Amino acid sequence: MKLYSPAAVRQVLDKYEFVFQKRLGQNFLIDGNIINKIVDAASLDSEDTVLEIGAGIGALTSALAVKAGKVVTIEIDKNLQPLLEETLSAYTNIDLFWGNAVKTDFDALISEKTQGQFGKNGRPYKVVANLPYYITTPLLMHALENCFNISLIILMVQKEVADRIAAVPGTKDYGALTLGVNYYSNPQKVFKVPRKVFIPQPDVESAVIRLILRKHPPAQVINEQAFFCVVKAAFGQRRKTLLNALSSLGIDKNQLSIILYDLGINPERRGETLSFEEFAGISNVLYPLISKN
Ligand code: SAM
């Protein structure tokens, strides 16, 4: 069943008297062009397994299933069950899993649904989602921090979040989220999405991003925990100089100042001006001092 127009989507919703739950970020896609562009961004073929987060009424799910070998979709709202049974009935390569995506071990789920061919100890899979915006960052960091066997992530997110993820040093959008996502992946903004392609229309503009997962961070990081401690401290109070912000880690200011100058970094700079490499360099020198505090 093709759910590529407002009329087709409305017909299914009306038939089952579906009530949208705003708290679950339910903004369903109703535009075939946008759905196709998302699927194209994932460069799928019949060898691919895709994990989708949030099936909704299955508009993106079914479009993914046309291109990929297999689609596993996680949906939290059981009220969607009768709708999905109808809209996905023609597809034999879709597995629907009811649960909370943030609490799901993606590798274990994909491994189970593909008899071990993908996921844990198998081949890498792709993640594609029109994310529920109320949990964008936790879901994204869940997918990245657990180092699941994912090769590519295509996500619809709030435009403001896409801007922060793809920001460059020295801009207002650059921050802890930029560095966190860049640690695990190479992010790109793919295209902007107007509000009118959703039902109901969200309060914010949206954008699709592509994250190509990295095997290693873009610069050598000796201690991951120390790296994120330094990033968090540097952006904790954005208006502070690096010297003041990093002294919150419990390191003596004189010592800190010498370390920063040795690294060729002026302690009067602000965190938002530092590149990933500079953050890595600082954390590689500071980590023995941080772990002592
Ligand atoms: N993929 C559909 C589309 O593009 O039309 C629906 C996208 S809608 C923005 C987000 C979907 O995620 C909703 O169906 C919602 O019920 C579901 N959802 C919300 N929180 C979730 C969670 N924690 N785990 C899994 N699904 C969730």
Side-chain angles (χ1 to χ4, degrees):
M1 180 175 201
K2 280 211 165 183
L3 295 161
Y4 275 17
S5 70
V9 173
R10 178 56 71 196
Q11 198 187 357
V12 177
L13 296 170
D14 287 350
K15 179 172 170 188
Y16 293 93
E17 296 177 357
F18 181 74
V19 179
F20 284 97
Q21 298 207 53
K22 202 173 174 181
R23 68 177 181 88
L24 291 178
Q26 291 180 334
N27 301 99
F28 298 161
L29 282 168
I30 51 168
D31 184 306
N33 283 334
I34 295 292
I35 292 172
N36 284 334
K37 279 174 82 172
I38 296 172
V39 175
D40 287 348
S43 308
L44 297 174
D45 65 37
S46 58
E47 294 290 300
D48 280 307
T49 286
V50 177
L51 174 66
E52 187 201 18
I53 297 157
I57 64 164
L60 181 57
T61 324
S62 50
L64 291 167
V66 171
K67 291 280 170 78
K70 175 138 199 114
V71 178
V72 179
T73 182
I74 308 176
E75 175 54 61
I76 202 168
D77 184 5
K78 271 266 185 180
N79 293 323
L80 288 162
Q81 188 162 11
L83 291 78
L84 285 166
E85 276 170 8
E86 176 174 338
T87 60
L88 303 184
S89 64
Y91 300 86
T92 52
N93 60 341
I94 298 176
D95 244 306
L96 184 52
F97 175 79
W98 298 102
N100 184 344
V102 188
K103 296 193 173 152
T104 303
D105 179 333
F106 294 170
D107 271 6
L109 177 67
I110 291 292
S111 185
E112 185 197 321
K113 302 292 184 192
T114 62
Q115 289 76 44
Q117 282 187 54
F118 291 82
K120 201 178 244 141
N121 306 322
R123 285 157 55 198
Y125 51 95
K126 295 176 177 174
V127 172
V128 181
N130 168 16
L131 276 189
Y133 293 167
Y134 76 106
I135 42 168
T136 303
T137 307
L139 259 172
L140 178 56
M141 295 323 284
H142 174 68
L144 295 175
E145 285 173 352
N146 285 295
C147 300
F148 293 132
N149 194 7
I150 300 169
S151 57
L152 179 77
I153 302 181
I154 305 293
L155 294 182
M156 173 95 76
V157 296
Q158 302 94 308
K159 186 184 164 294
E160 167 256 330
V161 174
D163 290 342
R164 282 165 55 205
I165 287 173
V168 292
T171 61
K172 70 169 176 33
D173 290 326
Y174 186 72
L177 181 65
T178 322
L179 287 146
V181 174
N182 271 274
Y183 187 93
Y184 300 102
S185 71
N186 179 8
Q188 300 154 353
K189 278 194 275 184
V190 192
F191 56 91
K192 282 194 278 183
V193 179
R195 294 171 207 223
K196 64 174 191 227
V197 303
F198 300 92
I199 181 171
Q201 293 192 14
D203 301 330
V204 292
E205 299 295 330
S206 303
V208 170
I209 54 167
R210 180 193 287 119
L211 310 179
I212 300 165
L213 278 284
R214 301 181 195 277
K215 292 212 169 15
H216 306 285
Q220 194 201 14
V221 172
I222 296 174
N223 185 293
E224 181 175 328
Q225 219 184 334
F227 175 83
F228 285 109
C229 266
V230 169
V231 168
K232 203 172 153 201
F235 289 104
Q237 288 142 311
R238 287 181 81 101
R239 289 214 299 269
K240 280 196 174 179
T241 64
L242 203 51
L243 183 65
N244 285 332
L246 295 187
S247 67
S248 69
L249 294 169
I251 304 164
D252 172 73
K253 274 194 184 177
N254 288 331
Q255 194 183 1
L256 198 52
S257 187
I258 293 166
I259 289 172
L260 290 172
Y261 274 122
D262 278 352
L263 287 166
I265 296 169
N266 186 333
E268 296 300 309
R269 281 171 65 185
R270 292 175 208 288
E272 69 215 47
T273 68
L274 297 184
S275 65
F276 190 102
E277 290 71 18
E278 288 175 314
F279 272 112
I282 294 172
S283 74
N284 288 345
V285 180
L286 289 192
Y287 92 90
L289 303 171
I290 297 172
S291 52
K292 270 192 223 141
N293 290 309

